[in-house]
């Protein structure tokens, strides 16, 4: 009798083998998601957050690339210097202009190309693969070929415009011509990539929407405007975001466009972007602290830009609800 009482008293305290296995199973099921995503966060912390924090810390010092251990604390002096730096504002203006000249035509051409690739054409697979070929091409190879095309004396572009009686253009030294030339390289490389993104988004739009619009008497243009474009809003937002980030970080195309210009972006800095100016300060002039400040200024520029877009959308949404 006494033994039965003791066993009943100890039963809730000492778990059985089955209860222990169930507890371990619940623990493993809860820990499994964290274990699976841990490699990403470890790599992101090592190669994303740590360089970002290290760059922010470096921007607060006067430090040379040849002697990184000899640091002098200057606080926000590197950022204050950018406010009065004419070369920084010139690079910022060039970045904005080249970004607009490259992003707007690029996305419009990609939208039109995706609409054509979505049609029932013979050899559609070939055209879709060909659209991605410029993106797979090395930026160095593409830029060097375009530099030959835009040559002042023997370039193919000047030869073509000469056939219609126009004077040759100095594409590498002209203030506006050089920006248009650099922007055309970006357009050529990224139009096909964005077109395939739009094409994938178009194929997710239910065909019943097009059939209903056709039954209502909507023309092809109205179907594209009222059915296709609303269905492409996530893809349009994604490509706009990526293209804007790429425009702010533009580096390879202007660096290689002119053989003798290098990081200066032309004799008069006429197409020097923020990426080139960062490279010039850090790896040509060896001012590592200034280069770090420029890098953070580029990041803050993107944050302010996307914050303004988000705020405008929020205000617009409130106005629509009213």
């Amino acid at each position: 009798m006494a033994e039965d009482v003791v066993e009943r008293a100890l039963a809730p305290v000492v778990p059985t083998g089955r209860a222990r296995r169930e507890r371990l199973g619940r623990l493993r099921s809860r820990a499994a998601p964290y274990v699976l995503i841990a490699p990403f966060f470890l790599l992101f912390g090592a190669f994303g957050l740590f360089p970002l924090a290290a760059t922010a810390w470096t921007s607060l010092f006067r430090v040379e690339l040849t002697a990184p251990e000899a640091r002098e604390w200057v606080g926000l002096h590197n950022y204050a210097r950018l406010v009065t730096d004419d070369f920084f504002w010139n690079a910022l203006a060039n970045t904005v202009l080249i970004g607009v000249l490259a992003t707007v035509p690029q996305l419009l051409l990609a939208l039109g190309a995706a609409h054509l690739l979505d049609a029932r054409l013979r050899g559609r697979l070939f055209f879709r693969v060909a659209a991605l070929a410029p993106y797979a091409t090395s930026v160095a190879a593409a830029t060097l070929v375009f530099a030959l095309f835009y040559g002042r004396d023997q370039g193919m572009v000047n030869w073509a415009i000469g056939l219609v009686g126009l004077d040759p253009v100095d594409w590498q030294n002209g203030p506006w011509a050089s920006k248009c030339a650099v922007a055309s390289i970006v357009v050529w490389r990224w139009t096909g990539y964005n077109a395939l993104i739009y094409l994938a988004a178009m194929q997710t739009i239910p065909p019943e929407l097009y059939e209903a619009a056709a039954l209502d008497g909507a023309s092809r243009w109205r179907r594209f405007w009222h059915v296709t474009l609303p269905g492409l809003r996530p893809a349009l937002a994604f490509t706009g975001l990526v293209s804007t980030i790429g425009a702010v970080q533009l580096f390879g195309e202007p660096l290689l466009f002119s053989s003798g210009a290098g990081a200066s972006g032309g004799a008069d800095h006429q197409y020097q972007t923020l990426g080139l100016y960062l490279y010039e300060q850090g790896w040509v002039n060896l001012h590592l602290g200034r280069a770090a400040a420029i890098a953070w200024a580029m990041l803050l520029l993107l944050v302010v830009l996307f914050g303004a877009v988000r705020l405008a959308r929020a205000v617009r949404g409130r106005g629509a609800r009213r």
Side-chain angles (χ1 to χ4, degrees):
M1 184 69 178
E3 293 179 355
D4 294 340
V5 173
V6 172
E7 289 180 359
R8 287 195 298 269
L10 294 178
V13 179
V14 182
T16 62
R18 181 179 179 181
R20 186 181 297 109
R21 288 193 299 270
E22 291 178 353
R23 186 179 302 173
L24 291 176
R26 288 194 299 269
L27 181 62
R28 291 172 182 173
S29 63
R30 292 177 181 177
Y34 299 98
V35 174
L36 293 175
I37 64 176
F40 165 77
F41 283 102
L42 290 176
L43 293 175
F44 179 71
F47 299 102
L49 293 180
F50 175 74
L52 196 64
T55 303
W57 181 249
T58 304
S59 68
L60 303 177
F61 291 86
R62 180 181 288 113
V63 53
E64 301 297 320
L65 185 63
T66 55
E69 70 282 352
R71 299 186 171 206
E72 179 185 354
W73 173 267
V74 294
L76 299 178
H77 173 74
N78 289 324
Y79 295 95
R81 183 182 177 276
L82 294 179
V83 178
T84 59
D85 189 352
D86 294 335
F87 291 107
F88 171 78
W89 291 108
N90 174 72
L92 177 60
N94 291 338
T95 300
V96 173
L97 291 174
I98 295 175
V100 172
L101 292 172
T103 301
V104 176
Q106 172 194 148
L107 298 183
L108 292 177
L109 289 173
L111 191 60
H115 188 64
L116 293 176
L117 292 174
D118 193 39
R120 295 182 179 179
L121 301 175
R122 292 183 178 180
R124 286 182 297 175
L125 181 61
F126 169 78
F127 289 112
R128 293 174 183 178
V129 174
L132 198 60
Y135 170 72
T137 305
S138 168
V139 60
T143 305
L144 292 176
V145 170
F146 270 85
L148 295 176
F149 284 165
Y150 285 113
R152 183 183 60 181
D153 299 324
Q154 298 179 349
M156 186 176 296
V157 177
N158 279 341
W159 170 80
I161 64 176
L163 295 179
V164 297
L166 297 177
D167 295 331
V169 179
D170 192 354
W171 294 100
Q172 295 182 346
N173 295 315
W176 278 98
S178 59
K179 295 181 180 63
C180 293
V182 172
S184 67
I185 306 173
V186 181
V187 171
W188 181 82
R189 290 194 67 238
W190 291 95
T191 297
Y193 171 84
N194 292 321
L196 292 184
I197 293 178
Y198 292 154
L199 176 62
M202 285 180 181
Q203 294 179 346
T204 63
I205 300 175
E208 293 81 5
L209 298 179
Y210 292 102
E211 295 174 0
L215 291 175
D216 289 339
S219 62
R220 293 179 61 89
W221 169 251
R222 293 184 66 87
R223 276 178 278 172
F224 177 79
W225 186 261
H226 294 286
V227 178
T228 304
L229 284 183
L232 293 179
R233 283 178 182 175
L236 291 171
F238 171 77
T239 54
L241 174 66
V242 173
S243 299
T244 303
I245 295 175
V248 174
Q249 298 177 343
L250 189 62
F251 176 75
E253 290 85 350
L255 177 67
L256 301 173
F257 180 62
S258 181
S259 59
S264 62
D268 296 326
H269 303 268
Q270 64 269 16
Y271 58 89
Q272 185 182 49
T273 60
L274 287 174
L276 280 184
Y277 187 57
L278 185 155
Y279 178 79
E280 183 183 42
Q281 288 295 316
W283 280 263
V284 178
N285 299 334
L286 306 180
H287 302 319
L288 195 59
R290 297 179 186 175
I294 297 170
W296 263 88
M298 295 167 63
L299 176 61
L300 295 177
L301 176 65
L302 288 172
V303 171
V304 170
L305 179 61
F306 293 133
V309 172
R310 188 176 182 85
L311 180 62
R313 292 181 60 183
V315 172
R316 182 181 178 182
R318 291 177 183 176
R321 286 194 296 268
R322 291 178 183 177

